[in-house]
Amino acid sequence: MGFFNKQRTDGRTYDGQGEERKGFIDRISFNGEAEDIVWKFPYDNLSIGTQLIVNHSQEAIFLRGGAVCDIFGEGTHTLSTNNIPVLQKLINLPFGGRTPFTAEVYFVSKTVRRNLKFGTINAVPVCDPLYSIPIPVRAFGEYGIRVVDASMLLGELVGTLHTFDTESIIEQFKSVVLQQLNASFGQFVKQERISVVDLPAYSPQMAQYLQNCLKSEFARYGISLENFNLASINYDEGHPNVQKVLEAQANAAAEIFEAQGRAQRRNIEQYTFQEERQFDVMETAAGNEGGSGQMMGAGMGLGMGVGIGGAFGTQMGNIAGVMTSQQPSSAATPPPPPMPVTYHVLVNNVQQGPYDLPTLQQMAQNGTLTRDTYVWKNGMPQWTKAGESTELQSLFSAVPPPPPIL
C-alpha cells in the first residue's frame, strides 16, 4: 500500500454510498489491516448510545470540521453526552435518546513498528578528515517508530487520508533519513577524529549519533524514533582513494611497530635513545667515501661484532677519535664532553642505577654499597664485585671494615 492509498473497498474507506447511510451506526470498531498505523472508520452517521470498541495500544479520535473533539483509549465505550462533552458543545446535542450526529472517527495504533528499512541510493562521497581525500560510502539499516501524539500525527501527516501505514512512514521519511545520513558521515568522522575507512568499526556509535540527530524531526509529527540500527557501512576497497588511505595507514602502522621494536632493543641492550641516534649518525658517515668513511666502516663492523650493549660506549669513543683526527684543523670542532662513568648495582638481588661515582661513594659510606656488592657498567663482560673493580676500590679506602664480633 502506497502513501496515497484510497481504495474504496467495503469497510476500508468512506464512500458516502449504501444502505448504512440511512440508519444509525450501533458499533464502531477497527477493521483495518495489521500494517495500518491510522485507519478511518468508513461512516460518519453516528448516534448517542453507539458502542465504541478501542483495542489494546490504540486510540480513537473523533473529529468534526477538521478539529479534534475527543480521544478515547483502549476499552469499550458507550457514547453519551457525558463522555463526549466537547462534541456535545459543538453540535448542541440534546440530552437523552438516540440522537444522531456526524463525526469522523480515526483509529491510531500506538504499537512500536520496527524493521522500517532505509539505505543509500548512491555512494556518498565523504571527505576523510585525516587524509583530505573523498571516500565513497554506502550504508543500510532499519529503524523503529511509535506514535506518541495521535492528534499531531493526524494534523501534520494524515490529513484527509483514509489509511496511513508503515509503508507510508517509510515513504514520508525516506528523504529525511537519507539527507541526515549524508550529512552525518562527515560530521561523525570529524568529531571522532577517525578515517572514513574505519567507519564500519564504529557502526553502533554512528547509529546512535544518527538517532539523536533524527529524533527531533520525527517528533514534529508526533512520532518517537524508538531505535536506529546500521546493518552495514561499506566502501569500494578497489577505489583509488581508498587504496591511498589504506596504504598510508599500513605505512604508519609499520613505523609505529619499528619504533616499538627499537625501544625494546634499547631496553634489552641497555643503551639510550641519544646513544642510538649517535650510532645512526656514525653508520651514515661510515658509508661516505674517503679515509674517514673507511675507518668509520671498520669501527662500525667492530662495534656490531662485540654487541651494542657491551661495547657501545668504547666503540663510539674510538670511532669518534678516528673521525676527529681525519678532519682538517680549520674545520675542527671541540669534542662533546665525556659521559660520566655510571654503574648498575645489585642490591638485595634487585638491579638499581645507573649511579655515578659521587653517588656510589655516598652509598659506600652508608653501607648500601660494599666490596661484595655486584656492579656492572657498559663495556664489562659480566657482573663483578665492587671490591674487585680497580675504578671503585678507592671508594672503600676511607670506609672502615665491619667491627669484629666479640
Side-chain angles (χ1 to χ4, degrees):
M1 284 172 280
F3 184 65
F4 297 104
N5 179 11
K6 291 185 178 180
Q7 301 177 53
R8 298 186 179 275
T9 54
D10 185 26
R12 289 284 293 162
T13 63
Y14 169 65
D15 56 10
Q17 306 289 331
E19 296 297 319
E20 295 86 350
R21 295 290 295 152
K22 298 179 181 179
F24 296 136
I25 299 297
D26 295 325
R27 187 169 180 266
I28 304 171
S29 62
F30 177 82
N31 192 30
E33 302 291 337
E35 291 299 312
D36 288 339
I37 296 175
V38 177
W39 180 78
K40 182 181 179 182
F41 187 69
Y43 310 109
D44 61 359
N45 52 322
L46 312 180
S47 68
I48 297 298
T50 298
Q51 270 198 337
L52 170 67
I53 300 173
V54 183
N55 296 328
H56 179 66
S57 298
Q58 281 185 343
E59 284 184 348
I61 301 181
F62 280 66
L63 279 82
R64 179 178 172 83
V68 174
C69 298
D70 288 284
I71 301 177
F72 293 84
E74 61 183 79
T76 300
H77 310 272
T78 299
L79 302 184
S80 68
T81 54
N82 293 327
N83 59 19
I84 49 174
V86 177
L87 185 62
Q88 189 271 339
K89 184 177 180 180
L90 286 175
I91 59 180
N92 298 318
L93 291 176
F95 290 91
R98 288 184 59 82
T99 306
F101 65 92
T102 59
E104 297 174 318
V105 182
Y106 287 86
F107 287 89
V108 180
S109 172
K110 304 189 80 172
T111 58
V112 176
R113 303 302 177 104
R114 301 188 183 276
N115 303 320
L116 307 185
K117 308 294 184 182
F118 71 89
T120 53
I121 301 174
N122 301 307
V124 180
V126 181
C127 183
D128 194 296
L130 303 184
Y131 302 98
S132 300
I133 55 176
I135 304 294
V137 178
R138 293 180 179 272
F140 304 90
E142 59 189 26
Y143 61 93
I145 59 98
R146 181 170 63 88
V147 177
V148 293
D149 191 326
S151 298
M152 185 179 292
L153 177 67
L154 286 178
E156 297 295 332
L157 278 185
V158 179
T160 59
L161 297 176
H162 293 265
T163 60
F164 193 80
D165 55 18
T166 53
E167 287 297 325
S168 302
I169 289 287
I170 294 174
E171 185 69 22
Q172 178 68 28
F173 288 98
K174 178 169 65 176
S175 61
V176 175
V177 173
L178 291 181
Q179 286 175 7
Q180 187 61 61
L181 189 68
N182 295 352
S184 295
F185 276 135
Q187 296 168 0
F188 181 78
V189 293
K190 186 176 181 180
Q191 171 184 298
E192 298 296 321
R193 298 182 180 179
I194 61 173
S195 172
V196 175
V197 299
D198 295 327
L199 263 177
Y202 287 80
S203 292
Q205 296 92 324
M206 179 71 185
Q208 185 62 54
Y209 181 84
L210 281 164
Q211 183 173 353
N212 293 337
C213 293
L214 287 166
K215 275 184 176 180
S216 59
E217 185 64 27
F218 279 81
R220 289 175 51 200
Y221 303 95
I223 297 173
S224 169
L225 187 58
E226 295 295 300
N227 67 282
F228 195 95
N229 299 318
L230 282 168
S232 172
I233 301 178
N234 57 77
Y235 48 82
D236 181 8
E237 294 189 1
H239 192 279
N241 287 354
V242 174
Q243 290 295 313
K244 291 179 182 178
V245 172
L246 294 177
E247 182 179 351
Q249 286 186 333
N251 292 338
E255 290 178 2
I256 294 173
F257 181 79
E258 174 62 21
Q260 291 174 342
R262 292 174 74 114
Q264 291 175 354
R265 288 196 297 273
R266 287 196 300 269
N267 184 53
I268 293 172
E269 300 181 11
Q270 297 294 320
Y271 61 93
T272 66
F273 175 77
Q274 289 77 13
E275 289 172 334
E276 181 184 38
R277 296 300 300 158
Q278 291 176 2
F279 184 85
D280 292 339
V281 171
M282 300 302 179
E283 185 177 24
T284 301
N288 295 336
E289 297 180 357
S292 61
Q294 294 172 359
M295 292 301 297
M296 179 65 76
M300 289 297 296
L302 179 60
M304 291 300 289
V306 298
I308 294 176
F312 184 85
T314 303
Q315 293 300 325
M316 291 300 100
N318 293 339
I319 294 169
V322 172
M323 289 189 64
T324 303
S325 65
Q326 296 289 331
Q327 296 296 327
S329 58
S330 60
T333 56
M339 298 293 291
V341 177
T342 58
Y343 280 83
H344 293 266
V345 181
L346 196 63
V347 179
N348 296 327
N349 292 324
V350 177
Q351 179 182 329
Q352 298 181 7
Y355 301 123
D356 57 15
L357 292 178
T359 304
L360 293 174
Q361 185 172 14
Q362 293 178 4
M363 295 174 64
Q365 291 174 355
N366 63 30
T368 305
L369 178 69
T370 67
R371 290 179 173 86
D372 293 327
T373 302
Y374 280 92
V375 297
W376 178 88
K377 72 169 184 176
N378 283 342
M380 294 176 59
Q382 60 186 6
W383 290 79
T384 186
K385 292 182 178 180
E388 298 175 0
S389 171
T390 305
E391 194 171 27
L392 300 180
Q393 286 178 355
S394 61
L395 300 179
F396 305 102
S397 60
V399 178
I405 299 175
L406 300 179

